[in-house]
Each structure stands twice: as C-alpha cells, then as structure tokens.
Amino acid sequence: MRASHILLAVAVAAVWGFNFVAIKVGLRDFPPLLFSCLRFALAALPVLVLGWRKGPPVPWRFVIGIGVMLGVVKFPLLYLGIDAGMPAGLASLVLQSQAFFTAIFAAFLLGDRPGPRQIGGMVVAFAGVGLIALEMPAGDSLLGLGLTLAAAAAWGVANIVMKRAKAPDLFSLMVWVSLVPPLPVLALSLALEGPDRIVHAFATLTVVGVGSLLYIAAAATLFGFAAWGFLMRHYPASLVAPFSLLVPIFGMSSSALLLGETFTAAKLAGGLLVFAGLALSVLKLPAPARVRI
C-alpha cells in the first residue's frame, strides 16, 4: 500500500475507535434510541440533498435488509448497552466479535466453512469475552455486555447481506442505508423512552451533545465508510481488513485517556484474548519459506 493510503487506513481506525468515546459522551444528552435515530437521520442527508435521483447502488431489498440489521438492530443495541454500563473501551473491543458471528452465519447460510485457524480464533476470543463477563458486576454492566454481543451478532447478519449485495460503492450504499432506520427507531424511542424524555433531551441539549452527534454522523459514518470503501476498491480485502484491528486499540486508549476508564488485570487479560483471537482469524500468516537442498 502507498504510504498515504496506510495513513488513511490508520486514520479511519482512529476515527472509528474514538467513536465509542463520542457515543458515551453523547448519551449524557440523548437517550440511546433517540441518539441512534438522529445519527442515521443526519447521515442520510447527502441522499436527500444530492443523490436521490440516481438511486441506491444495489436493489432495495439489500438496502432495507442492511438498514434494518445495522440501524434498527445493531446500533440501538450498542447504544443501549453502553447506556446500561458497558465501558466504551471494552465495547469497541467486544463489538469486533462481529467477525466471528459473520463467519458462523456465513458457514450456515453461504456454505463458507471456517478453517482451523478461524475456529481457533473464535475459541480464544470467546474465552476472552467470558473472562471479561466474569469481571463485570451483575446488573446493568453485565446487561450492557450482553447487549453489545447481541449488537455484534446483528452486525454479522448485516455483513452477510452486504456480501450478497456486492455493492460497487460502500459509501453510497451506507448513505442510502441510513434512510431506513430513522422512522422505525424514532417509533421505538417514542414507545420505550417516551415523548417527555425526548423533549427534555432537546430542551437541555449542550454543545458537547451536538458535537458528539455531528462527529458520529459526519466523521464515523460518512468519512469512515467513504475512506474505507475507497481503500477496499483499490486493494484486496485481505490487505485492508487487518487495519480494523486498530479500532479497539484506539477505542480503549481514548476511553482511558478521556473518560478515565480503568481496566482490571482480568479485563486486560480478557481483552488480550479477544484481540489475539481476532488477529489469529483476520491476519494472513506468511507461508513457510522453502529450503532448497
């Protein structure tokens, strides 16, 4: 990869990692379902302003399927999990278990059987998640972990739909997908969070809350997927995908520096197991050199 494109890949990972801090901070101003609704409403603006005549890059059934799994299921579950007590740094790591859920669903739905290395990575990573769960206090924090894992599973389903869609432009796809979640998630917010809480959120809105929302919609969603899609179009997925391993590193470090999150020895050990499992599954090991006699 060109040096400038390596820097771009690292920048995307940093933006996505810091995204978890922005979510945690934004949840101080917004209830989780409303926050998720507004994120996609803002991300969909380019379609409403510029691209509605051209139409989505894939058939509508894929746009709706991805929109439901990502915007109506995954992100609301993630926001609810962080709101329930899941630390932002750990959320950035545990959410990456989507890679394993994707492999499991692909095996059953697409016939893509994982190899021994992928299976070994799953075992190691989920052992790490189990270790983290043992360290989470019962109640809201443990509920937050469960909701984050459920969000990762929903992301895995969305990945399968995206693979079937074979979109030529990931950025355009994500912008059109962003049209799907706002109304269903707003309905959920009205039903579960209530009109009073929504009105209170807007009445007491702070600059920090607005900044968090703009960052998540503009930087993490629009810039992140535009840059990632650019890299995926120019390089093999096997070369680009490993950069996603940097996301939890940026997520955990930024949450520790900016939110003061601390990690016990057991949580760090569990995090290392998850990261090791991800690396084992994602990174391509070099072939052994042949020795000529």
Side-chain angles (χ1 to χ4, degrees):
M1 293 178 68
R2 293 170 53 182
S4 59
H5 292 169
I6 292 175
L7 291 176
L8 180 62
V10 173
V12 173
V15 166
W16 282 345
F18 182 74
N19 179 52
F20 291 86
V21 173
I23 293 172
K24 190 77 170 182
V25 172
L27 286 170
R28 298 171 184 171
D29 281 34
F30 299 101
L33 294 176
L34 177 64
F35 197 15
S36 184
C37 166
L38 294 174
R39 170 228 178 103
F40 283 102
L42 287 178
L45 285 179
V47 167
L48 301 177
V49 175
L50 300 172
W52 61 273
R53 289 187 180 134
K54 186 178 180 181
V58 298
W60 272 105
R61 66 182 185 276
F62 293 120
V63 174
I64 294 172
I66 297 167
V68 169
M69 293 313 303
L70 281 184
V72 183
V73 182
K74 177 216 167 180
F75 279 104
L77 286 174
L78 174 63
Y79 286 26
L80 287 166
I82 293 177
D83 188 59
M86 182 67 178
L90 282 180
S92 71
L93 179 65
V94 171
L95 192 64
Q96 299 308 312
S97 61
Q98 56 85 16
F100 307 123
F101 286 112
T102 301
I104 293 170
F105 296 145
F108 284 101
L109 300 176
L110 304 178
D112 295 342
R113 302 300 177 188
R117 200 157 50 82
Q118 284 70 38
I119 294 174
M122 291 182 200
V123 173
V124 171
F126 282 118
V129 172
L131 189 57
I132 292 172
L134 291 175
E135 276 291 292
M136 302 289 282
D140 287 347
S141 294
L142 197 57
L143 172 63
L145 175 61
L147 289 169
T148 304
L149 279 172
W155 192 358
V157 176
N159 285 338
I160 298 299
V161 182
M162 291 179 74
K163 184 174 182 179
R164 295 290 297 272
K166 298 179 180 179
D169 184 349
L170 183 60
F171 171 70
S172 176
L173 173 64
M174 289 308 301
V175 172
W176 279 94
V177 160
S178 296
L179 283 174
V180 177
L183 290 180
V185 179
L186 178 60
L188 288 173
S189 178
L190 286 169
L192 301 177
E193 294 167 341
D196 292 342
R197 193 175 176 189
I198 293 174
V199 171
H200 178 75
F202 285 109
T204 59
L205 191 58
T206 67
V207 173
V208 175
V210 173
S212 299
L213 178 60
L214 291 176
Y215 177 88
I216 292 169
T221 304
L222 297 181
F223 164 76
F225 281 104
W228 196 256
F230 168 82
L231 293 169
M232 292 292 281
R233 287 196 303 272
H234 285 78
Y235 298 99
S238 60
L239 197 60
V240 178
F243 282 96
S244 65
L245 293 175
L246 296 175
V247 173
I249 293 177
F250 284 114
M252 296 179 77
S253 59
S254 61
S255 65
L257 289 172
L258 300 175
L259 301 178
E261 291 183 359
T262 58
F263 302 93
T264 64
K267 283 182 181 177
L268 283 174
L272 287 174
L273 285 175
V274 174
F275 187 81
L278 283 168
L280 183 62
S281 296
V282 173
L283 296 179
K284 187 175 180 179
L285 299 178
R290 294 183 179 181
V291 179
R292 293 186 178 182
I293 300 176

